[in-house]
Amino acid sequence: MVKKIFAQTYLWILLLLLYSPIVIIVIYSFTEAKVLGNWTGFSTRLYSSLFNTGAHHSLMNALINTITIALLAATVSTLLGSIAAIGIFNLKARSRKAIGFVNSIPILNGDIITGISLFLLFVSLGITQGYTTVVLAHITFCTPYVVLSVLPRLKQMNPNIYEAALDLGATPMQALRKVIIPEIRPGMISGFMLALTLSIDDFAVTVFTIGNQGLETLSTYIYADARKGGLTPELRPLSAIIFVVVLALLIVINYRAGKTKKKD
């Protein structure tokens, strides 16, 4: 009984520490106060001001850049990571362990090391830094996470299904499209969502590969804004919207996954 109470208390304290900052941001997004923590009455003016592109043109540009980069990076890394996971899964045990170890290095490596490495690579190749280099950098550090998301689904899959499809006359490409991909789709979706979140959240790699052409993402905009002595109040409603959208996507994905399991 004591252990159960202790475990529940610990869980609630952990959840409180994790989500209380988000709750505070959401609450104070409904007030006009410029300083977080100063409540001046309920208002939705910050939300209407956020979408006033004339007043916050640079913020909206940073948001659009962040979303487009994240979508591109997540899509490409999902394709590359899924193909790589299938290839790794079909290797011999020793080779699979070796490639798995190599795949884990970028994940365990510090973001700042990855950022500096990619910066030096682009400079040595003479590639002008900007939108393209940021997308390539995000694909680079997102792909290993997709591999780790897809590999467990491949291990759970019945290997005889693919062989049966080939025996029934399907080409390897048809068997891949109609047998393997449906089996690993949940892992691909999880990998895509993880890559999308990592790309939106990244700062260290972005700041080393963004160049000096005026391109800004949300993370670099917030960093520059904070260095000026404070944060733009409209960042509070923007953070609240991003949180709600991500939460809604997770709920929909988990709901559909639950329905799929019931059907099976």
Side-chain angles (χ1 to χ4, degrees), residues 54-232:
H56 300 283
H57 180 70
S58 57
L59 175 58
M60 295 308 296
N61 278 347
L63 176 62
I64 292 169
N65 290 334
T66 301
I67 293 173
T68 55
I69 289 170
L71 288 173
L72 281 171
T75 302
V76 176
S77 62
T78 300
L79 293 174
L80 293 177
S82 300
I83 295 170
I86 294 170
I88 293 170
F89 179 74
N90 287 286
L91 292 174
K92 293 181 179 179
R94 183 176 295 178
S95 299
R96 191 186 309 142
K97 288 182 180 179
I99 299 299
F101 173 76
V102 173
N103 182 73
S104 299
I105 293 174
I107 297 173
L108 300 174
N109 201 17
D111 286 347
I112 191 168
I113 304 299
T114 303
I116 293 171
S117 302
L118 289 168
F119 168 75
L120 294 175
L121 175 65
F122 293 140
V123 170
S124 63
L125 295 175
I127 300 174
T128 303
Q129 295 185 54
Y131 192 92
T132 302
T133 55
V134 173
V135 172
L136 291 174
H138 284 213
I139 292 170
T140 301
F141 72 75
C142 286
T143 301
Y145 290 93
V146 178
V147 173
L148 290 183
S149 297
V150 175
L151 273 176
R153 300 298 305 185
L154 287 166
K155 292 176 182 178
Q156 294 173 8
M157 185 182 71
N158 185 350
N160 296 323
I161 300 177
Y162 178 75
E163 300 294 337
L166 295 178
D167 291 340
L168 291 172
T171 63
M173 186 58 67
Q174 288 175 330
L176 173 67
R177 181 165 50 88
K178 295 184 177 181
V179 176
I180 295 180
I181 289 180
E183 289 288 330
I184 66 173
R185 188 178 291 122
M188 292 175 67
I189 294 172
S190 299
F192 177 85
M193 290 298 299
L194 183 58
L196 190 71
T197 304
L198 288 169
S199 178
I200 291 173
D201 186 57
D202 179 74
F203 171 74
V205 175
T206 303
V207 78
F208 280 104
T209 57
I210 202 169
N212 54 5
Q213 297 181 347
L215 177 67
E216 275 192 319
T217 62
L218 201 55
S219 59
T220 58
Y221 178 91
I222 293 172
Y223 173 73
D225 202 30
R227 292 192 66 183
K228 295 175 184 177
L231 292 175
T232 304

Side-chain angles (χ1 to χ4, degrees), residues 35-66:
V35 180
L36 183 64
N38 184 19
W39 182 266
T40 58
F42 181 85
S43 173
T44 58
R45 186 174 179 181
L46 288 180
Y47 283 89
S48 59
S49 178
L50 174 65
F51 297 101
N52 185 350
T53 55
H56 300 283
H57 180 70
S58 57
L59 175 58
M60 295 308 296
N61 278 347
L63 176 62
I64 292 169
N65 290 334
T66 301

